Amino acid sequence: MSQNSIAAFQEISEKLPEKRKVVYEVLKDYPNSTFYQIAFKLSWNVNKVSNRINELENAGLINKTGEEKRDKYVRDKFSVITDIDEIINRQIDLYVFFVDTKAQLETDYRRCETKEGKELLAKRVKYLKNKISNLKALSI
């Protein structure tokens, strides 16, 4: 890992909430790990790990690096992104996608004619606002 990558990793680790930081650090030490492997290493519930993985992926800090087949099940493998430029580009792409999706949902909300539909769309808009806020907080 280059000096820039090490510095970026330290900067990112300091910004992360505690549970995300723990999963991020395990992925740094054990690249190409599945939810199950990380959960085993941490003695955590798989759902707790999968939620943190989703948050890290939505922050542009990790990516899917492959799959592992176990019987009839396929499990995704993940790794920390170590290239700063790749993190920045991924975060920009995610930001644009989240903002565009939020704008489309807001347009749909204004056009929606049912109370139930408006409630559902309002929840999705709130969810995307949270994703955008989290992404901004963790951007490099």
Side-chain angles (χ1 to χ4, degrees):
M1 208 184 284
S2 72
Q3 286 300 105
N4 286 344
S5 296
I6 292 168
F9 172 75
Q10 289 171 339
E11 179 185 338
I12 291 165
S13 283
E14 291 171 9
K15 290 181 179 181
L16 290 170
E18 190 59 35
K19 290 176 187 170
R20 278 185 237 170
K21 181 190 290 189
V22 171
V23 172
Y24 185 74
E25 290 172 356
V26 168
L27 273 175
K28 179 187 154 282
D29 294 338
Y30 300 96
N32 297 309
S33 293
T34 66
F35 296 159
Y36 293 90
Q37 291 166 328
I38 297 166
F40 180 77
K41 287 177 189 351
L42 296 173
S43 298
W44 285 7
N45 177 296
V46 173
N47 290 334
K48 187 175 180 180
V49 172
S50 68
N51 289 338
R52 303 301 77 79
I53 292 287
N54 288 333
E55 292 164 351
L56 290 167
E57 199 172 20
N58 285 328
L61 302 175
I62 66 170
N63 61 355
K64 181 180 166 188
T65 54
E67 296 177 339
E68 172 184 274
K69 290 189 177 193
R70 293 270 177 131
D71 299 321
K72 62 181 179 177
Y73 301 102
V74 176
R75 297 176 179 166
D76 293 336
K77 292 183 172 188
F78 296 89
S79 292
V80 167
I81 300 171
T82 56
D83 181 54
I84 297 168
D85 291 332
E86 186 179 345
I87 293 172
I88 292 168
N89 289 333
R90 184 173 291 266
Q91 288 179 334
I92 290 168
D93 290 346
L94 285 166
Y95 180 78
V96 169
F97 175 74
F98 293 157
V99 169
D100 289 349
T101 303
K102 181 178 135 310
Q104 182 59 54
L105 288 171
E106 288 169 337
T107 299
D108 293 346
Y109 178 87
R110 288 188 293 278
R111 292 181 181 160
C112 186
E113 297 180 3
T114 66
K115 180 181 175 185
E116 296 82 11
K118 284 188 177 270
E119 288 173 358
L120 179 62
L121 289 165
K123 285 180 185 179
R124 292 296 298 162
V125 167
K126 183 178 177 182
Y127 175 72
L128 280 163
K129 284 181 181 179
N130 190 37
K131 284 177 116 171
I132 291 166
S133 176
N134 288 335
L135 181 60
K136 285 181 179 179
L138 297 173
S139 64
I140 293 181

